[in-house]
Amino acid sequence: MNYFDLHCDTITECYKAHRELAKNNLALDLERTAAYQSWAQVFAVWTPDEQRGEAAYNGFHDVAEFFHEQVQKNSSSTVFCRTRKDLKEAAAAGKRATLLSIEGAGALAGNLEHLYDAKQLGVCLITLTWNGHCEAGDGCGVPNAGGLTPFGFDLIREMEKLNIIIDVSHLSEKGFWDVAHRTSKPFVASHSDAKSVCPHQRNLTDDQFRVIIERNGLVGINLCGKFLAPRDPKAEDVLRHVDHFLNLGGESVLAVGSDLDGCVMASGIHAVDEMGILYHLLEKEFGKEIADRIFWENAFRFFTEQLD
């Protein structure tokens, strides 16, 4: 099977814990991805809400450089993909494909020059906020949350010019609609589930999901337990979210955004080499065509269309 994942926090955790990406005791390492015929992963550099200003940018830069070093160490089997050509060639050659994102635009310290630097470092996607407030706007955890700030509006304008994908996971609902109304390109929710199934603030409303369908975007199903079910979350709970999204017409926008190494997972799946369990659950419930779309085809198509 093939597996394309829109979000993990592994590279940030490797950096903090002084672990190698090739082999470690975290939820994901390159060695265990050999379980898949083709594999692609968007690695997020996470910026915590309490880290702001140039310290946040420097922190991002350090982790991004570490990411480059780790991929280079494994260049015989692993490719850092900046462009659609890189991604297509990696898949054709059977190599592991890695992409780089920012989780929390606080990493840019309110400075568009840092956005251009991030583009040079190969960042292809930016999650606009984490749960709190940053220079770009309010996250979903802010009481009486507002939307994007003036810098946030400037940021999404420049991101579209640079072909950096806008990610609305973690963003407040007002911020989501600011993005929807002030952009024209497809955007994504890299790791979010269905609020109608589990009413967590991090999940998407049906109206939000419909807009992402209309914009030909992507939604990555998150395996964080508390987003899947309020009590005793299990891997099987993913099926309820997928079924709901499919009933809204989402067969071409659903993908996987596992959040490996970034959350407490639902019971049953805890690591990259166990994601085949989810694939087979999807295949049994919805058929191979839908399982293949969710696990590879939708994300591969999207990124080969949206990257430079």
Side-chain angles (χ1 to χ4, degrees):
M1 57 173 280
N2 301 328
Y3 172 32
F4 198 130
D5 194 316
L6 307 186
H7 185 88
C8 76
D9 287 271
T10 305
I11 201 63
T12 303
E13 293 303 307
C14 281
Y15 177 81
K16 293 192 311 187
H18 306 289
R19 298 285 189 270
E20 292 291 309
L21 184 58
K23 186 174 182 179
N24 57 55
N25 60 353
L26 300 172
L28 186 157
D29 60 33
L30 296 176
E31 184 176 284
R32 282 174 282 170
T33 65
Y36 306 105
Q37 181 177 355
S38 293
W39 175 80
Q41 178 69 57
V42 182
F43 285 89
V45 180
W46 173 59
T47 302
D49 283 329
E50 62 271 15
Q51 192 174 36
R52 288 289 170 261
E54 289 302 306
Y57 175 70
N58 291 336
F60 151 70
H61 198 279
D62 289 346
V63 179
E65 291 289 353
F66 173 76
F67 170 75
H68 286 289
E69 293 166 5
Q70 291 293 306
V71 174
Q72 183 59 36
K73 282 184 178 181
N74 297 277
S75 59
S76 62
S77 62
T78 307
V79 178
F80 175 44
C81 297
R82 295 172 176 265
T83 67
R84 66 186 69 182
K85 182 173 180 286
D86 294 339
L87 188 55
K88 289 178 179 179
E89 289 180 350
K95 291 196 171 185
R96 301 172 177 93
T98 64
L99 303 97
L100 184 63
S101 73
I102 290 174
E103 183 176 23
L108 304 176
N111 185 342
L112 289 179
E113 291 298 320
H114 292 332
L115 175 67
Y116 311 137
D117 294 341
K119 176 69 174 181
Q120 290 299 113
L121 285 166
V123 168
C124 69
L125 179 150
I126 297 176
T127 313
L128 296 179
T129 67
W130 198 54
N131 293 329
H133 175 80
C134 73
E135 291 89 345
D138 283 350
C140 62
V142 176
N144 302 310
L148 298 184
T149 63
F151 173 75
F153 284 114
D154 290 343
L155 176 63
I156 61 174
R157 183 190 67 241
E158 293 302 305
M159 286 175 65
E160 287 206 313
K161 289 181 182 178
L162 294 171
N163 276 349
I164 297 176
I165 298 159
I166 296 168
D167 179 14
V168 297
S169 285
H170 287 283
L171 188 59
S172 69
E173 196 162 344
K174 287 182 180 178
F176 175 97
W177 293 110
D178 284 341
V179 169
H181 294 146
R182 295 286 287 272
T183 60
S184 58
K185 291 185 176 182
F187 59 88
V188 309
S190 65
H191 54 306
S192 295
D193 297 325
K195 189 171 284 187
S196 290
V197 177
C198 180
H200 194 281
Q201 63 186 9
R202 274 280 285 106
N203 288 340
L204 297 169
T205 67
D206 291 357
D207 285 343
Q208 288 175 313
F209 187 74
R210 290 188 184 100
V211 168
I212 294 175
I213 294 174
E214 292 167 5
R215 296 288 284 273
N216 297 310
L218 278 181
V219 173
I221 294 293
N222 194 328
L223 295 184
C224 178
K226 61 186 178 181
F227 303 162
L228 291 173
R231 291 178 299 278
D232 190 27
K234 299 178 288 294
E236 289 81 358
D237 289 312
V238 169
L239 301 177
R240 298 188 300 123
H241 291 263
V242 170
D243 183 61
H244 183 78
F245 282 147
L246 289 175
N247 286 332
L248 294 176
E251 61 273 3
S252 295
V253 305
L254 284 180
V256 177
S258 65
D259 212 358
L260 289 170
D261 289 313
C263 68
V264 178
M265 312 289 281
S267 64
I269 300 175
H270 300 99
V272 65
D273 52 331
E274 298 174 338
M275 292 299 293
I277 296 169
L278 177 59
Y279 176 87
H280 292 301
L281 286 171
L282 292 170
E283 183 182 30
K284 182 179 179 181
E285 186 74 14
F286 305 109
K288 187 176 188 302
E289 180 181 352
I290 292 295
D292 287 342
R293 284 188 176 196
I294 293 172
F295 256 75
W296 179 264
E297 292 169 7
N298 289 340
F300 187 77
R301 183 196 68 249
F302 179 87
F303 278 86
T304 52
E305 290 174 352
Q306 298 304 318
L307 295 180
D308 293 332

